[in-house]
Amino acid sequence: MAQSKFTLYKYIKLADGSWRYCKAAFYSNGKIKPNRCTVGGKEEEHPEGSYYLYHKKSWIPVGADALDAQRRRNAQLDNFELKRLNGTVPAQSPAAATIVGKTPLATASQHYFSNLEARGADPKTIRTYRSAVDPFIENCAKSYVEDVIKQDINNFMGWLRKQPAPQRRNSNPDRTYANKVGHVAIFLKTFGVSRLLKKSEYPQYEEKTVTAHIDDELEYLYAHADAEQRFLLDFGLNSGFRDGELAHAEYSDLVGNTLEVKRKPHLRWKPKKHHCRKVTVSQKFADAFRARGKNSKNSLVFPNESGKPNQHLLRDLQALTPNDKPFHTDLHKLRKTWATRLALAGLPVHVLQKRLGHKNLATTQKYLADVDLTCKEHTDVVEKATYTPKPKVVKTGTGRK
């Protein structure tokens, strides 16, 4: 009988922020190299994380100390060899015995994200979820997902509060904090651990109001934009596309003066929540779009240097408004501006909902929450939309005088 394998791994954080099992590194004499792991064929230093033994498709936690982890691995091997010599089936190890009916947190994480990938979840979404679940597992005092209790969530929230706030411009740290707690709750619920917190105990945040650009701001943006930035502004203000829709836009998407948002398997991309739609653009922009396509060697409207979708359009746009400016811009704000201007021009809200790709009308109404109802443009629309009844004709008697 061949010797059973107890392969030693360490659950570590990679350069891209994700967490993975990577094999522990050893010296030529068989002694473990503390905090050294093999990543992509090369050794790297990783003091974070804990060690695990992989045995018969199970992950057995053996602690964060490298030497102790190796001692526990050797004990497992010795126990297996003893049973083999005695001619009996190897007994389940004490560490493995404790996991009957339970799932180690690291194993649960691996299954959870593997299933998300198998279901075709967007890679960006998976990275976002990992940014919450991985730190929770790293800082949780429990080894098994079934043992997680309310106090573990509270401890995680306390840890999150101590972390540096995001440095992105116009970010909403409270919402980021709340989202991370929510992502962890969804992860735990997948394994039957739910209702640890009451609704009132989840982190609260104030929704950031996204306002539309006024004409003076748009004039400033166009005056300081180069040709590429001007086309990005034109595209955003003519289509109301989301970030990902802009990044994955192709010249073939335009038919007549209608842009189509659709699945693109060849780019491994799909619209948000699979909401495919068609958006009518101005004839002037449609002509400029086609002219640009004739001079392009790439099917993508905004390719990066490698010819792939440019995922940094937001950064390129925000370069137009340094921190000393009284206003900021982003792709979402262009989308908001597009929707607001259409609403003021009289486009019915239910039609605008379809063009925005919103599932619920309430979401579209939020987009219009800050529309100035006293502005002249809105007043003109109201006047045009007001029904004016014809004067009532009163018949009088025809009797002779």
Side-chain angles (χ1 to χ4, degrees):
M1 181 185 295
Q3 187 181 39
S4 182
K5 287 187 177 181
F6 288 87
T7 309
L8 190 57
Y9 287 80
K10 193 174 187 185
Y11 195 58
I12 61 174
K13 186 175 184 180
L14 302 181
D16 62 359
S18 63
W19 289 72
R20 292 286 187 277
Y21 290 103
C22 293
K23 286 188 177 181
F26 291 84
Y27 292 107
S28 58
N29 62 0
K31 186 177 180 181
I32 191 172
K33 295 181 180 180
N35 298 329
R36 301 288 296 181
C37 299
T38 302
V39 182
K42 298 181 180 179
E43 281 192 19
E44 293 183 4
E45 182 81 13
H46 285 279
E48 77 286 350
S50 300
Y51 289 94
Y52 290 82
L53 292 177
Y54 186 67
H55 176 66
K56 294 184 177 180
K57 298 182 179 181
S58 296
W59 293 98
I60 306 172
V62 288
D65 182 83
L67 296 179
D68 184 56
Q70 186 174 30
R71 282 194 292 268
R72 296 175 68 174
R73 174 178 180 269
N74 291 339
Q76 296 280 9
L77 293 172
D78 292 343
N79 179 64
F80 179 89
E81 182 64 10
L82 177 62
K83 298 298 181 182
R84 187 185 71 83
L85 294 174
N86 290 337
T88 60
V89 177
Q92 191 176 35
S93 68
T98 61
I99 66 171
V100 174
K102 293 186 177 182
T103 308
L105 278 168
T107 303
S109 173
Q110 187 180 47
H111 291 169
Y112 179 69
F113 290 111
S114 294
N115 289 338
L116 286 180
E117 292 175 359
R119 293 201 302 266
D122 185 75
K124 184 177 180 181
T125 300
I126 294 177
R127 289 196 300 270
T128 300
Y129 288 176
R130 274 197 174 278
S131 69
V133 175
D134 288 345
F136 171 75
I137 293 175
E138 175 65 17
N139 291 277
C140 185
K142 301 298 186 344
S143 297
Y144 304 102
V145 66
E146 292 82 3
D147 294 339
V148 175
I149 59 176
K150 179 178 180 179
Q151 188 58 49
D152 296 312
I153 300 293
N154 288 333
N155 292 342
F156 178 61
M157 289 194 290
W159 178 85
L160 280 176
R161 287 291 190 191
K162 297 177 182 178
Q163 305 310 302
Q167 298 301 311
R168 297 189 304 274
R169 293 178 60 187
N170 304 290
S171 62
N172 190 344
D174 288 336
R175 179 172 182 174
T176 301
Y177 167 66
N179 286 344
K180 288 183 181 295
V181 176
H183 296 331
V184 169
I186 294 172
F187 161 70
L188 294 174
K189 186 177 180 180
T190 304
F191 295 90
V193 181
S194 61
R195 299 183 180 180
L196 296 181
L197 295 177
K198 298 179 182 177
K199 186 176 181 179
S200 60
E201 294 175 324
Y202 279 91
Q204 305 297 312
Y205 63 91
E206 183 176 346
E207 191 74 52
K208 183 176 67 174
T209 302
V210 180
T211 57
H213 280 299
I214 60 176
D215 288 350
D216 288 345
E217 293 175 352
L218 292 176
E219 290 176 7
Y220 174 89
L221 293 174
Y222 274 96
H224 291 78
D226 58 26
E228 189 67 12
Q229 290 169 325
R230 288 177 69 89
F231 186 79
L232 177 57
L233 287 168
D234 286 341
F235 201 153
L237 293 171
N238 273 273
S239 66
F241 275 20
R242 299 182 175 97
D243 301 28
E245 294 166 353
L246 286 168
H248 294 84
E250 295 178 286
Y251 292 108
S252 59
D253 295 339
L254 181 67
V255 179
N257 64 339
T258 301
L259 282 169
E260 186 175 2
V261 180
K262 56 188 176 182
R263 291 174 59 91
K264 298 186 176 179
H266 58 289
L267 297 177
R268 299 183 64 186
W269 180 83
K270 58 182 178 295
K272 182 178 181 180
K273 296 183 178 179
H274 303 270
H275 290 167
C276 301
R277 67 188 190 281
K278 294 182 179 180
V279 179
T280 303
V281 298
S282 68
Q283 190 60 52
K284 180 180 178 181
F285 176 72
D287 293 341
F289 189 91
R290 289 193 181 89
R292 178 184 171 95
K294 290 179 180 179
N295 299 322
S296 176
K297 297 179 181 179
N298 197 305
S299 63
L300 290 166
V301 180
F302 298 108
N304 59 19
E305 294 180 353
S306 302
K308 297 180 179 180
N310 185 355
Q311 303 288 355
H312 299 294
L313 294 177
L314 174 61
R315 182 182 62 190
D316 298 341
L317 182 64
Q318 288 186 332
L320 293 172
T321 53
N323 290 327
D324 60 343
K325 296 301 175 185
F327 73 95
H328 81 284
T329 187
D330 57 47
L331 297 172
H332 193 191
K333 194 166 184 177
L334 295 184
R335 177 173 160 85
K336 164 77 174 191
T337 304
W338 171 80
T340 300
R341 295 177 76 87
L342 284 178
L344 290 175
L347 187 71
V349 66
H350 69 279
V351 178
L352 185 58
Q353 174 194 356
K354 293 181 180 179
R355 291 196 175 187
L356 283 164
H358 289 160
K359 184 177 181 179
N360 299 315
L361 185 61
T363 305
T364 306
Q365 291 171 331
K366 287 182 180 180
Y367 263 61
L368 309 177
D370 69 323
V371 173
D372 184 2
L373 300 181
T374 64
C375 68
K376 183 178 183 302
E377 292 88 347
H378 189 270
T379 302
D380 291 343
V381 172
V382 172
E383 291 295 334
K384 292 178 182 178
T386 301
Y387 172 74
T388 304
K390 297 179 179 180
K392 185 177 182 181
V393 178
V394 179
K395 295 182 178 181
T396 58
T398 58
R400 296 179 179 176
K401 290 183 180 180

